[in-house]
Amino acid sequence: MILQLQRRHVEVLKQETEMVYPVEACAMLFGELSKNEAAVEKVELTQNRLRSSTRFEVDPAKVAVAVTKAEKEGYVFIGLFHSHPAPATPSSVDLKYMRFWGDILWLILSSIDGKLAAYQLIDDKIKEATIRIE
Ligand SMILES: [Zn+2]
């Protein structure tokens, strides 16, 4: 899977990560989805209601509102973004939620080294996606 990101989106996500540090930042990614490629057209920042540096949780009501709004704009829900004050790899808690969310993309930014990585759960296995920034 290829995750196509726009440079301005990456900037927004980096800024949010720095602003809420050490709490994990989170956002929802919307755009266009085809079989092998997800193109992000819209980033919706969401609050981490746990205010935690190791876990994140978004308000399901806000998720529903954001999805409805994006669908009206012609976008589909592509995936979730969150930051880690640790390497950009899914934690065991992330894996649990990946199972809950299904095959959406998980974009993780490490606030330690600035590394951005994306993952998808396919057949219960974590697969790394290729990120393209334009
Ligand atoms: Zn995580």
Side-chain angles (χ1 to χ4, degrees), residues 24 82 84 91 94:
E24 288 190 2
H82 72 289
H84 271 185
S91 65
D94 289 337

Side-chain angles (χ1 to χ4, degrees), residues 24 54-56 82-85 87 89-95 106 108:
E24 288 190 2
T54 53
R55 295 184 59 180
F56 80 98
H82 72 289
S83 64
H84 271 185
T89 48
S91 65
S92 55
V93 177
D94 289 337
L95 178 60
W106 284 63
I108 303 175

Side-chain angles (χ1 to χ4, degrees), residues 41-107:
E41 302 288 347
K42 183 185 168 163
V43 169
E44 187 90 27
L45 297 172
T46 43
Q47 231 178 38
N48 181 353
R49 68 173 183 182
L50 298 178
R51 309 299 298 158
S52 163
S53 61
T54 53
R55 295 184 59 180
F56 80 98
E57 194 179 287
V58 291
D59 183 344
K62 289 192 176 132
V63 169
V65 169
V67 169
T68 306
K69 195 173 146 220
E71 280 174 353
K72 274 189 192 140
E73 292 164 348
Y75 300 133
V76 296
F77 178 43
I78 288 175
L80 287 171
F81 162 83
H82 72 289
S83 64
H84 271 185
T89 48
S91 65
S92 55
V93 177
D94 289 337
L95 178 60
K96 197 175 106 187
Y97 284 98
M98 285 172 102
R99 291 193 174 116
F100 173 78
W101 282 97
D103 59 2
I104 65 160
L105 281 151
W106 284 63
L107 180 63

